[in-house]
Amino acid sequence: VWTAHTFAAAKEGTQASDGVHRRKMTAGAKRSTRGFPKSARLRKSADFRFRPYRRFEADGFIFYYTNRGKGRLGISVSRKTLRNATARNRVRRLLKESFRLLRTRFVSFDVHVVGGLELSTSWSRLKRRDVESSLEKLLTFAGEGPAQARNER
């Protein structure tokens, strides 16, 4: 039996139309300062067309990069490479997090990462340290390897 009380109960808590309960829950929460801001992303199609660029392949990823950049990352993982949206999003999250952790070493690089066909079989075993290792290989290949990173400290 539906009563007026039934409908009133549905409008309480997080489902309330005024959002008062949600505001109370997040009022004291601080925003993280370690995120992945828009300034660290390649966002427009023109951002992805940087010239001159170099190409590097490692561990199922194809990296297009330029050392005349601003420390930004762009990610392209197509549905042809990974049919499952969950898999594509997982790979993107791992790439973003790894890049965020190594961002201080990518200050002058713009990097466009394209998912290779090898990802279709290896995405479920992929770990953040594997992605970080691929980015480290890119830095070494580009001439910004561990030896130079040690001198910067």
Side-chain angles (χ1 to χ4, degrees), residues 110-153:
D110 280 351
V111 181
H112 178 201
V113 184
V114 179
L117 292 176
E118 298 90 33
L119 279 180
S120 61
T121 57
S122 66
W123 73 269
S124 60
R125 295 183 306 276
L126 197 62
K127 304 282 187 244
R128 193 186 81 213
R129 68 178 173 268
D130 300 330
V131 178
E132 284 180 26
S133 170
S134 298
L135 289 172
E136 293 276 353
K137 289 177 189 175
L138 170 64
L139 286 168
T140 303
F141 179 79
E144 297 290 325
Q148 289 182 346
R150 275 189 232 112
N151 293 335
E152 292 175 358
R153 291 181 190 172

Short mmCIF file of all heavy atoms in Angstrom, two decimals, residues 110-153:
data_model
loop_
_atom_site.label_atom_id
_atom_site.label_comp_id
_atom_site.label_asym_id
_atom_site.label_seq_id
_atom_site.Cartn_x
_atom_site.Cartn_y
_atom_site.Cartn_z
N ASP A 110 55.47 16.44 -23.65
CA ASP A 110 54.06 16.13 -23.89
C ASP A 110 54.06 14.70 -24.42
O ASP A 110 54.80 14.38 -25.35
CB ASP A 110 53.44 17.07 -24.92
CG ASP A 110 53.05 18.40 -24.32
OD1 ASP A 110 53.09 18.54 -23.08
OD2 ASP A 110 52.69 19.32 -25.08
N VAL A 111 53.24 13.85 -23.83
CA VAL A 111 53.23 12.43 -24.18
C VAL A 111 51.82 12.03 -24.58
O VAL A 111 50.86 12.30 -23.86
CB VAL A 111 53.70 11.56 -22.99
CG1 VAL A 111 53.72 10.09 -23.38
CG2 VAL A 111 55.06 12.00 -22.50
N HIS A 112 51.70 11.37 -25.74
CA HIS A 112 50.44 10.79 -26.17
C HIS A 112 50.63 9.28 -26.15
O HIS A 112 51.49 8.75 -26.85
CB HIS A 112 50.10 11.27 -27.59
CG HIS A 112 48.85 10.66 -28.13
ND1 HIS A 112 48.59 10.62 -29.46
CD2 HIS A 112 47.79 10.07 -27.53
CE1 HIS A 112 47.43 10.04 -29.68
NE2 HIS A 112 46.93 9.70 -28.51
N VAL A 113 49.87 8.59 -25.32
CA VAL A 113 49.98 7.14 -25.17
C VAL A 113 48.83 6.49 -25.93
O VAL A 113 47.67 6.82 -25.70
CB VAL A 113 49.93 6.72 -23.69
CG1 VAL A 113 50.15 5.22 -23.57
CG2 VAL A 113 50.95 7.47 -22.88
N VAL A 114 49.17 5.56 -26.81
CA VAL A 114 48.18 4.81 -27.57
C VAL A 114 48.28 3.35 -27.14
O VAL A 114 49.39 2.81 -27.06
CB VAL A 114 48.43 4.95 -29.09
CG1 VAL A 114 47.41 4.15 -29.87
CG2 VAL A 114 48.39 6.41 -29.50
N GLY A 115 47.15 2.76 -26.87
CA GLY A 115 47.15 1.35 -26.48
C GLY A 115 47.43 0.47 -27.67
O GLY A 115 46.78 0.58 -28.71
N GLY A 116 48.42 -0.42 -27.53
CA GLY A 116 48.77 -1.35 -28.60
C GLY A 116 47.92 -2.60 -28.54
O GLY A 116 47.20 -2.85 -27.57
N LEU A 117 48.01 -3.41 -29.59
CA LEU A 117 47.21 -4.64 -29.66
C LEU A 117 47.57 -5.64 -28.57
O LEU A 117 46.74 -6.47 -28.19
CB LEU A 117 47.35 -5.28 -31.04
CG LEU A 117 46.72 -4.50 -32.19
CD1 LEU A 117 47.02 -5.17 -33.51
CD2 LEU A 117 45.23 -4.36 -31.98
N GLU A 118 48.80 -5.58 -28.03
CA GLU A 118 49.19 -6.51 -26.97
C GLU A 118 48.36 -6.31 -25.71
O GLU A 118 48.24 -7.22 -24.89
CB GLU A 118 50.67 -6.34 -26.61
CG GLU A 118 51.64 -6.62 -27.74
CD GLU A 118 51.93 -5.37 -28.56
OE1 GLU A 118 51.94 -4.27 -27.98
OE2 GLU A 118 52.14 -5.50 -29.76
N LEU A 119 47.78 -5.13 -25.54
CA LEU A 119 46.95 -4.87 -24.35
C LEU A 119 45.71 -5.74 -24.31
O LEU A 119 45.18 -6.01 -23.23
CB LEU A 119 46.53 -3.40 -24.31
CG LEU A 119 47.54 -2.41 -23.78
CD1 LEU A 119 46.96 -1.00 -23.82
CD2 LEU A 119 47.98 -2.75 -22.38
N SER A 120 45.23 -6.19 -25.47
CA SER A 120 44.01 -6.98 -25.49
C SER A 120 44.15 -8.29 -24.72
O SER A 120 43.17 -8.82 -24.22
CB SER A 120 43.57 -7.25 -26.93
OG SER A 120 44.58 -7.98 -27.60
N THR A 121 45.38 -8.78 -24.61
CA THR A 121 45.59 -10.02 -23.85
C THR A 121 46.23 -9.78 -22.48
O THR A 121 46.11 -10.61 -21.60
CB THR A 121 46.50 -10.99 -24.64
OG1 THR A 121 47.72 -10.34 -24.95
CG2 THR A 121 45.81 -11.45 -25.91
N SER A 122 46.90 -8.66 -22.31
CA SER A 122 47.65 -8.46 -21.06
C SER A 122 47.03 -7.45 -20.10
O SER A 122 47.58 -7.21 -19.03
CB SER A 122 49.07 -8.01 -21.39
OG SER A 122 49.06 -6.74 -22.00
N TRP A 123 45.90 -6.83 -20.43
CA TRP A 123 45.36 -5.76 -19.60
C TRP A 123 45.00 -6.24 -18.19
O TRP A 123 45.16 -5.50 -17.22
CB TRP A 123 44.14 -5.10 -20.24
CG TRP A 123 42.91 -5.95 -20.23
CD1 TRP A 123 42.50 -6.82 -21.19
CD2 TRP A 123 41.93 -6.02 -19.19
NE1 TRP A 123 41.34 -7.43 -20.81
CE2 TRP A 123 40.96 -6.95 -19.59
CE3 TRP A 123 41.79 -5.37 -17.97
CZ2 TRP A 123 39.86 -7.26 -18.81
CZ3 TRP A 123 40.69 -5.68 -17.18
CH2 TRP A 123 39.73 -6.62 -17.61
N SER A 124 44.53 -7.48 -18.04
CA SER A 124 44.09 -7.95 -16.72
C SER A 124 45.28 -8.20 -15.78
O SER A 124 45.12 -8.15 -14.57
CB SER A 124 43.26 -9.22 -16.86
OG SER A 124 44.03 -10.23 -17.46
N ARG A 125 46.47 -8.44 -16.34
CA ARG A 125 47.66 -8.66 -15.51
C ARG A 125 48.46 -7.39 -15.30
O ARG A 125 49.45 -7.38 -14.58
CB ARG A 125 48.55 -9.71 -16.18
CG ARG A 125 47.92 -11.09 -16.26
CD ARG A 125 48.87 -12.11 -16.85
NE ARG A 125 49.41 -11.73 -18.15
CZ ARG A 125 48.80 -11.92 -19.32
NH1 ARG A 125 47.60 -12.49 -19.35
NH2 ARG A 125 49.37 -11.57 -20.46
N LEU A 126 48.04 -6.30 -15.92
CA LEU A 126 48.78 -5.05 -15.87
C LEU A 126 48.69 -4.42 -14.48
O LEU A 126 47.61 -4.29 -13.91
CB LEU A 126 48.21 -4.08 -16.91
CG LEU A 126 49.04 -2.89 -17.32
CD1 LEU A 126 50.34 -3.35 -17.96
CD2 LEU A 126 48.26 -2.03 -18.29
N LYS A 127 49.83 -4.05 -13.94
CA LYS A 127 49.91 -3.40 -12.63
C LYS A 127 50.50 -2.01 -12.79
O LYS A 127 51.11 -1.69 -13.81
CB LYS A 127 50.81 -4.20 -11.68
CG LYS A 127 50.40 -5.63 -11.49
CD LYS A 127 49.23 -5.73 -10.56
CE LYS A 127 48.93 -7.18 -10.22
NZ LYS A 127 47.64 -7.62 -10.67
N ARG A 128 50.33 -1.17 -11.76
CA ARG A 128 50.85 0.19 -11.84
C ARG A 128 52.36 0.20 -12.00
O ARG A 128 52.91 1.00 -12.76
CB ARG A 128 50.44 0.99 -10.60
CG ARG A 128 50.70 2.49 -10.80
CD ARG A 128 50.45 3.29 -9.57
NE ARG A 128 51.63 3.16 -8.72
CZ ARG A 128 51.60 3.15 -7.40
NH1 ARG A 128 50.47 3.25 -6.77
NH2 ARG A 128 52.70 3.04 -6.71
N ARG A 129 53.05 -0.71 -11.34
CA ARG A 129 54.51 -0.74 -11.46
C ARG A 129 54.94 -1.09 -12.89
O ARG A 129 55.99 -0.65 -13.34
CB ARG A 129 55.12 -1.68 -10.43
CG ARG A 129 54.82 -3.13 -10.63
CD ARG A 129 55.53 -3.99 -9.57
NE ARG A 129 55.10 -5.36 -9.68
CZ ARG A 129 54.09 -5.89 -9.00
NH1 ARG A 129 53.41 -5.15 -8.15
NH2 ARG A 129 53.75 -7.14 -9.17
N ASP A 130 54.12 -1.88 -13.61
CA ASP A 130 54.43 -2.20 -15.01
C ASP A 130 54.31 -0.95 -15.88
O ASP A 130 55.14 -0.71 -16.75
CB ASP A 130 53.48 -3.28 -15.54
CG ASP A 130 53.58 -4.58 -14.74
OD1 ASP A 130 54.68 -4.87 -14.22
OD2 ASP A 130 52.56 -5.28 -14.66
N VAL A 131 53.28 -0.17 -15.63
CA VAL A 131 53.08 1.06 -16.39
C VAL A 131 54.17 2.07 -16.05
O VAL A 131 54.72 2.74 -16.94
CB VAL A 131 51.67 1.64 -16.13
CG1 VAL A 131 51.47 2.93 -16.89
CG2 VAL A 131 50.60 0.63 -16.53
N GLU A 132 54.51 2.17 -14.77
CA GLU A 132 55.61 3.06 -14.36
C GLU A 132 56.91 2.64 -15.02
O GLU A 132 57.70 3.47 -15.46
CB GLU A 132 55.77 3.06 -12.84
CG GLU A 132 54.74 3.86 -12.12
CD GLU A 132 54.94 3.84 -10.62
OE1 GLU A 132 56.08 3.65 -10.16
OE2 GLU A 132 53.94 4.01 -9.90
N SER A 133 57.13 1.33 -15.13
CA SER A 133 58.33 0.82 -15.79
C SER A 133 58.34 1.23 -17.26
O SER A 133 59.39 1.60 -17.79
CB SER A 133 58.36 -0.71 -15.65
OG SER A 133 59.36 -1.25 -16.46
N SER A 134 57.20 1.18 -17.92
CA SER A 134 57.11 1.61 -19.32
C SER A 134 57.43 3.09 -19.46
O SER A 134 58.15 3.50 -20.38
CB SER A 134 55.71 1.33 -19.88
OG SER A 134 55.43 -0.03 -19.86
N LEU A 135 56.92 3.90 -18.54
CA LEU A 135 57.21 5.34 -18.58
C LEU A 135 58.69 5.61 -18.27
O LEU A 135 59.29 6.52 -18.86
CB LEU A 135 56.30 6.09 -17.60
CG LEU A 135 54.83 6.16 -18.01
CD1 LEU A 135 54.00 6.74 -16.88
CD2 LEU A 135 54.66 6.97 -19.26
N GLU A 136 59.27 4.81 -17.37
CA GLU A 136 60.71 4.94 -17.09
C GLU A 136 61.53 4.60 -18.34
O GLU A 136 62.52 5.27 -18.63
CB GLU A 136 61.12 4.01 -15.94
CG GLU A 136 60.54 4.37 -14.60
CD GLU A 136 61.34 5.43 -13.87
OE1 GLU A 136 62.43 5.80 -14.35
OE2 GLU A 136 60.86 5.90 -12.83
N LYS A 137 61.10 3.56 -19.07
CA LYS A 137 61.79 3.20 -20.31
C LYS A 137 61.70 4.34 -21.32
O LYS A 137 62.67 4.62 -22.03
CB LYS A 137 61.18 1.93 -20.91
CG LYS A 137 61.47 0.67 -20.14
CD LYS A 137 60.76 -0.51 -20.77
CE LYS A 137 60.85 -1.75 -19.91
NZ LYS A 137 60.06 -2.86 -20.47
N LEU A 138 60.54 4.99 -21.37
CA LEU A 138 60.38 6.14 -22.26
C LEU A 138 61.36 7.25 -21.87
O LEU A 138 62.01 7.84 -22.74
CB LEU A 138 58.94 6.66 -22.21
CG LEU A 138 58.68 7.99 -22.92
CD1 LEU A 138 58.93 7.87 -24.41
CD2 LEU A 138 57.28 8.46 -22.63
N LEU A 139 61.45 7.54 -20.58
CA LEU A 139 62.38 8.58 -20.13
C LEU A 139 63.82 8.23 -20.47
O LEU A 139 64.60 9.09 -20.89
CB LEU A 139 62.24 8.80 -18.62
CG LEU A 139 61.00 9.54 -18.17
CD1 LEU A 139 60.83 9.44 -16.67
CD2 LEU A 139 61.05 10.98 -18.61
N THR A 140 64.19 6.98 -20.29
CA THR A 140 65.54 6.54 -20.62
C THR A 140 65.80 6.68 -22.12
O THR A 140 66.84 7.18 -22.55
CB THR A 140 65.76 5.08 -20.18
OG1 THR A 140 65.49 4.98 -18.80
CG2 THR A 140 67.17 4.62 -20.47
N PHE A 141 64.82 6.26 -22.93
CA PHE A 141 64.94 6.35 -24.38
C PHE A 141 65.04 7.81 -24.83
O PHE A 141 65.80 8.13 -25.75
CB PHE A 141 63.72 5.68 -25.04
CG PHE A 141 63.73 5.74 -26.54
CD1 PHE A 141 64.51 4.86 -27.28
CD2 PHE A 141 62.95 6.67 -27.21
CE1 PHE A 141 64.51 4.91 -28.66
CE2 PHE A 141 62.95 6.73 -28.59
CZ PHE A 141 63.73 5.84 -29.32
N ALA A 142 64.31 8.68 -24.17
CA ALA A 142 64.27 10.09 -24.55
C ALA A 142 65.47 10.87 -24.02
O ALA A 142 65.61 12.06 -24.29
CB ALA A 142 62.98 10.73 -24.05
N GLY A 143 66.31 10.21 -23.22
CA GLY A 143 67.49 10.89 -22.72
C GLY A 143 67.30 11.55 -21.37
O GLY A 143 68.11 12.33 -20.93
N GLU A 144 66.20 11.24 -20.70
CA GLU A 144 65.93 11.80 -19.37
C GLU A 144 65.92 10.68 -18.34
O GLU A 144 65.12 10.66 -17.44
CB GLU A 144 64.56 12.51 -19.36
CG GLU A 144 64.47 13.68 -20.28
CD GLU A 144 65.31 14.85 -19.80
OE1 GLU A 144 65.41 15.04 -18.58
OE2 GLU A 144 65.86 15.55 -20.64
N GLY A 145 66.84 9.73 -18.51
CA GLY A 145 66.86 8.53 -17.69
C GLY A 145 67.26 8.75 -16.25
O GLY A 145 67.47 9.87 -15.81
N PRO A 146 67.44 7.66 -15.53
CA PRO A 146 67.74 7.72 -14.10
C PRO A 146 69.02 8.49 -13.77
O PRO A 146 69.10 9.16 -12.76
CB PRO A 146 67.89 6.25 -13.70
CG PRO A 146 67.15 5.49 -14.73
CD PRO A 146 67.25 6.30 -16.00
N ALA A 147 70.04 8.43 -14.63
CA ALA A 147 71.29 9.14 -14.35
C ALA A 147 71.06 10.63 -14.27
O ALA A 147 71.54 11.30 -13.37
CB ALA A 147 72.32 8.80 -15.40
N GLN A 148 70.30 11.15 -15.20
CA GLN A 148 70.03 12.59 -15.19
C GLN A 148 69.07 12.96 -14.06
O GLN A 148 69.16 14.01 -13.49
CB GLN A 148 69.46 13.03 -16.53
CG GLN A 148 70.50 13.00 -17.62
CD GLN A 148 69.94 13.50 -18.93
OE1 GLN A 148 68.73 13.63 -19.09
NE2 GLN A 148 70.81 13.76 -19.86
N ALA A 149 68.14 12.06 -13.74
CA ALA A 149 67.18 12.34 -12.67
C ALA A 149 67.92 12.46 -11.34
O ALA A 149 67.57 13.26 -10.50
CB ALA A 149 66.13 11.26 -12.60
N ARG A 150 68.98 11.63 -11.14
CA ARG A 150 69.74 11.69 -9.91
C ARG A 150 70.46 13.04 -9.80
O ARG A 150 70.60 13.59 -8.72
CB ARG A 150 70.76 10.55 -9.85
CG ARG A 150 70.16 9.29 -9.34
CD ARG A 150 71.24 8.25 -9.08
NE ARG A 150 70.85 7.03 -9.78
CZ ARG A 150 71.46 6.52 -10.83
NH1 ARG A 150 72.54 7.08 -11.32
NH2 ARG A 150 71.03 5.44 -11.40
N ASN A 151 70.94 13.57 -10.92
CA ASN A 151 71.65 14.85 -10.90
C ASN A 151 70.71 16.02 -10.60
O ASN A 151 71.16 17.05 -10.13
CB ASN A 151 72.34 15.10 -12.25
CG ASN A 151 73.47 14.12 -12.47
OD1 ASN A 151 74.03 13.58 -11.52
ND2 ASN A 151 73.79 13.86 -13.73
N GLU A 152 69.43 15.87 -10.89
CA GLU A 152 68.47 16.95 -10.65
C GLU A 152 68.15 17.10 -9.16
O GLU A 152 67.72 18.15 -8.75
CB GLU A 152 67.19 16.70 -11.42
CG GLU A 152 67.36 16.81 -12.91
CD GLU A 152 66.08 16.44 -13.63
OE1 GLU A 152 65.09 16.06 -12.98
OE2 GLU A 152 66.07 16.53 -14.86
N ARG A 153 68.32 16.08 -8.41
CA ARG A 153 67.92 16.13 -6.99
C ARG A 153 68.74 17.02 -6.20
O ARG A 153 69.67 17.48 -6.09
CB ARG A 153 67.95 14.73 -6.39
CG ARG A 153 66.86 13.88 -6.96
CD ARG A 153 66.89 12.52 -6.33
NE ARG A 153 65.99 11.67 -7.08
CZ ARG A 153 65.88 10.39 -6.90
NH1 ARG A 153 66.59 9.78 -6.01
NH2 ARG A 153 65.05 9.68 -7.60
#
